[in-house]
Amino acid sequence: MKKHVLLFLLALLLLPFKGFAETGDSTGFELDKLGEDTVFLVNADDPDHAVLNLAKNENERRYPASTTKILTCIIALETADLDEPVKVSKRACDLSPKNSKMGLKPGESFPLIDLLYGLMLPSGNDAAIAIAEHIGGSVSGFAELMNKKAAELNMHDSHFTNPSGLHNSDHYTTAHDLAVLTAYALQNELFARIVSTVVYDAQSTAGRKIELRNVNRLLRDATASDYKPYSCLYEYAIGVKTGDTHLAGRCLVAAARRGDTTYICVLLHGEAAPDGAKRLEKDRYLAQRFYDAIDLFEYAFQNDTVDLSISDLKERCLPDTYAIPLDPQKYVATEALYSIDWHEGESLSLPRWQADVFAKDPFPEENLLYEIRSYTAPVGSKAGTVTIESNGSPVFTGDLIVEEYNVPPTPEPSPTPYFPVTELSPAATPAPSAAPSDPPGLFERFFRLLRCNPTTP
């Protein structure tokens, strides 16, 4: 019996599946092979336009499900005190079992910041209502704030009736508008931190703790903790929000960053598992949007290229001078300063994420290779070369032209030491000593012995 069960599970794993990502890096795909009917991939710096024409039905109105909570979160971050306690109403907790919840109880209070984590990680509809009532006074009052903010962001094809995304025929948006909203929200550092968090411990003012886990499987491996067989982890993922309702289908707004380049992927109205599907098959459909997002991101990271010319680099980031210290024991100068004469050449084509890193200001030193051939070349002459390398290969070159040498001034010779003669005052002048007399002669010595004065008559 066990053998038959194992064979059945293996057969399910081997079934062909529309748009399912193969192992290994994606090298491209066709949009009609994706599992969603609405696709929009943009650069976060330009959310109005698709990258590499990766767009389908991006301006068609769709039910957004819980991707709505992106707007709920950014409004709360911009308008309310995040440390203020929020009291949870009975209405916020009066939800059907099919609703995703944070796990709130009527009457308890949580700091608003904890409710935002509960809103975005487990996609709590209870947290959404509590936040709306706290900020807008009611769900309808908060919806007015949502539509006002949408208008400010030029989300012209969007209308919202609630903070959670529960189905309402008058609650809709487009992939384009969600991309614009997400690009705006990611500029808020706290929003970006919340949506990239994998696990968070919320705590009520009374001390009750709730462990919150992110349902975005690009960020968290659900295979072990949730018993889901398909891992959808993606190393460059930074958030943002999933969404699921019967009429909205499987939805995902995701963001990925590599280097300084951030792409936003919006996938709406994804296929749901057929009725009667078993757990394993259901999980394949749940995983579909994440694999599609990975394929889209990988395709963009590999194929969204930028052509860089030496002129572009000179304007943006390249140095125009180079200075090097010299050994004063070997050379007269202590420093040589060179101007760089860059050579015009062919352009360099790089993936955008790599070009953004490559063309930083200042230009990365690891990509510059200087070669000095003469440390005594005359001013105005060529003393060496400089090369720009990319992936280990030279792509642009320039000449190092001697601009000047820093020669320290020659020290002046030291003067002969001068010691002044100090004149003594008369009082301090010593008396001259008596001149020494000639030694006494023999005759004089004879009379001294006789104790007589020879000069006496």
Side-chain angles (χ1 to χ4, degrees):
M1 178 65 182
K2 291 182 178 179
K3 181 178 180 180
H4 291 298
V5 172
L6 289 173
L7 289 174
F8 173 73
L9 293 175
L10 180 60
L12 283 176
L13 287 170
L14 295 176
L15 284 174
F17 191 62
K18 180 180 178 183
F20 191 79
E22 301 294 335
T23 57
D25 293 336
S26 171
T27 57
F29 53 86
E30 297 178 10
L31 288 177
D32 59 6
K33 291 184 178 180
L34 297 177
E36 299 78 24
D37 75 359
T38 303
V39 180
F40 196 43
L41 184 80
V42 302
N43 189 308
D45 293 331
D46 185 18
D48 283 313
H49 303 97
V51 172
L52 299 172
N53 296 319
L54 294 174
K56 181 171 68 172
N57 298 325
E58 71 274 17
N59 292 312
E60 298 296 322
R61 291 179 179 179
R62 295 286 185 263
Y63 298 129
S66 287
T67 61
T68 297
K69 291 166 183 166
I70 297 171
L71 181 57
T72 301
C73 185
I74 194 62
I75 290 174
L77 288 171
E78 293 181 343
T79 60
D81 181 355
L82 300 179
D83 295 325
E84 187 174 5
V86 177
K87 188 172 183 180
V88 180
S89 70
K90 183 176 182 299
R91 179 185 177 184
C93 302
D94 189 16
L95 300 170
S96 69
K98 291 184 177 181
N99 280 260
S100 55
K101 302 173 185 177
M102 172 182 173
L104 301 176
K105 295 179 180 180
E108 65 182 347
S109 296
F110 278 83
L112 176 59
I113 183 63
D114 284 17
L115 292 182
L116 292 179
Y117 278 95
L119 175 79
M120 301 304 287
L121 272 60
S123 196
N125 289 344
D126 49 357
I129 295 174
I131 292 168
E133 292 177 337
H134 176 73
I135 296 176
S138 64
V139 167
S140 59
F142 188 78
E144 292 180 6
L145 298 178
M146 297 174 74
N147 291 313
K148 180 181 179 181
K149 188 65 179 181
E152 291 175 1
L153 296 176
N154 296 319
M155 298 168 61
H156 299 303
D157 287 310
S158 299
H159 188 265
F160 302 94
T161 62
N162 62 73
S164 64
L166 287 175
H167 179 71
N168 184 301
S169 58
D170 203 27
H171 187 102
Y172 56 83
T173 188
T174 67
H176 167 271
D177 285 1
L178 281 175
V180 170
L181 169 63
T182 304
Y184 172 80
L186 285 173
Q187 296 177 38
N188 185 296
E189 292 183 5
L190 185 51
F191 177 89
R193 186 190 314 163
I194 291 171
V195 299
S196 63
T197 298
V198 177
V199 179
Y200 181 84
D201 291 325
Q203 182 171 318
S204 72
T205 55
R208 186 171 79 91
K209 295 182 179 180
I210 306 176
E211 183 186 73
L212 307 173
R213 295 186 297 167
N214 204 320
V215 296
N216 185 345
R217 289 167 66 173
L218 295 175
L219 296 172
R220 184 176 69 86
D221 188 353
T223 59
S225 56
D226 293 343
Y227 304 100
K228 295 177 179 179
Y230 297 105
S231 174
C232 311
L233 281 174
Y234 185 54
E235 61 180 318
Y236 304 117
I238 58 171
V240 180
K241 191 71 191 73
T242 61
D244 296 89
T245 67
H246 178 68
L247 293 175
R250 308 300 184 198
C251 302
L252 174 66
V253 177
R257 178 177 297 129
R258 192 172 183 182
D260 292 333
T261 302
T262 301
Y263 293 117
I264 296 169
C265 175
V266 182
L267 298 168
L268 302 177
H269 206 243
E271 293 177 299
D275 294 338
K278 303 300 182 182
R279 183 179 63 84
L280 186 62
E281 188 178 4
K282 282 183 178 179
D283 192 55
R284 293 183 69 180
Y285 279 89
L286 288 172
Q288 175 70 63
R289 54 189 150 172
F290 301 109
Y291 287 122
D292 286 347
I294 292 172
D295 276 351
L296 285 162
F297 285 136
E298 283 296 293
Y299 186 80
F301 282 131
Q302 294 175 24
N303 296 282
D304 182 20
T305 59
V306 174
D307 291 334
L308 296 172
S309 69
I310 195 68
S311 298
D312 297 330
L313 294 175
K314 284 165 61 176
E315 291 180 2
R316 292 175 59 177
C317 56
L318 281 185
D320 52 13
T321 60
Y322 174 63
I324 185 171
L326 299 178
D327 185 352
Q329 301 297 324
K330 296 181 179 179
Y331 306 100
V332 175
T334 59
E335 183 184 57
L337 177 64
Y338 307 96
S339 60
I340 302 176
D341 182 14
W342 293 105
H343 301 168
E344 292 296 332
E346 296 182 0
S347 62
L348 172 65
S349 182
L350 291 174
R352 185 176 300 277
W353 70 268
Q354 194 174 3
D356 287 346
V357 174
F358 187 79
K360 276 186 176 179
D361 186 11
F363 193 83
E365 283 292 327
E366 60 268 21
N367 295 105
L368 290 171
L369 179 63
Y370 295 98
E371 182 182 4
I372 308 297
R373 295 170 184 168
S374 172
Y375 293 99
T376 57
V379 173
S381 65
K382 177 180 174 180
T385 60
V386 58
T387 303
I388 298 175
E389 292 187 342
S390 175
N391 297 322
S393 300
V395 289
F396 297 115
T397 60
D399 294 330
L400 294 174
I401 308 300
V402 180
E403 192 77 15
E404 64 176 324
Y405 291 110
N406 184 3
V407 180
T410 303
E412 296 181 2
S414 301
T416 303
Y418 171 70
F419 301 100
V421 177
T422 304
E423 295 184 2
L424 297 177
S425 63
T429 302
S433 59
S437 60
D438 293 332
L442 179 62
F443 182 76
E444 185 178 358
R445 283 182 289 171
F446 173 76
F447 280 102
R448 286 183 180 179
L449 290 173
L450 295 177
R451 299 183 178 272
C452 62
N453 189 347
T455 59
T456 303

